[in-house]
Amino acid sequence: MVKVDKKTCIGCGTCPGVCPEVFEMGPDGKARVKKGADKKAKCIKEAIKSCPVDAISN
Ligand code: SF4
């Protein structure tokens, strides 16, 4: 299941940029998986590759 490690995320904003249907920025300034997001969206792979600190796992 796709998830963001909040301890590792530096809040760069890249993952919601490349995969807005799955990721959003939370009030804590860290990325999170949207409620009801399509966990099989193709852009998840792209987001994982794009994260500078490897905070996204699937
Ligand atoms: S790309 Fe990585 S560091 Fe940037 S907001 Fe997403 S999870 Fe956080």
Side-chain angles (χ1 to χ4, degrees), residues 3-6 8-18 23-25 29-32 47-48 50-56:
K3 57 183 182 206
V4 174
D5 178 1
K6 286 196 183 266
T8 309
C9 174
I10 55 170
C12 73
T14 299
C15 57
V18 301
F23 300 98
E24 66 186 1
M25 300 309 289
K30 310 278 179 124
R32 65 186 181 190
I48 290 171
S50 303
C51 178
V53 292
D54 287 334
I56 306 167

Side-chain angles (χ1 to χ4, degrees), residues 13-46:
T14 299
C15 57
V18 301
C19 194
E21 54 264 67
V22 175
F23 300 98
E24 66 186 1
M25 300 309 289
D28 56 359
K30 310 278 179 124
R32 65 186 181 190
V33 175
K34 283 182 169 177
K35 277 212 176 89
D38 175 8
K39 305 271 167 47
K40 290 183 184 132
K42 290 204 179 103
C43 60
I44 292 172
K45 244 186 201 167
E46 194 59 38

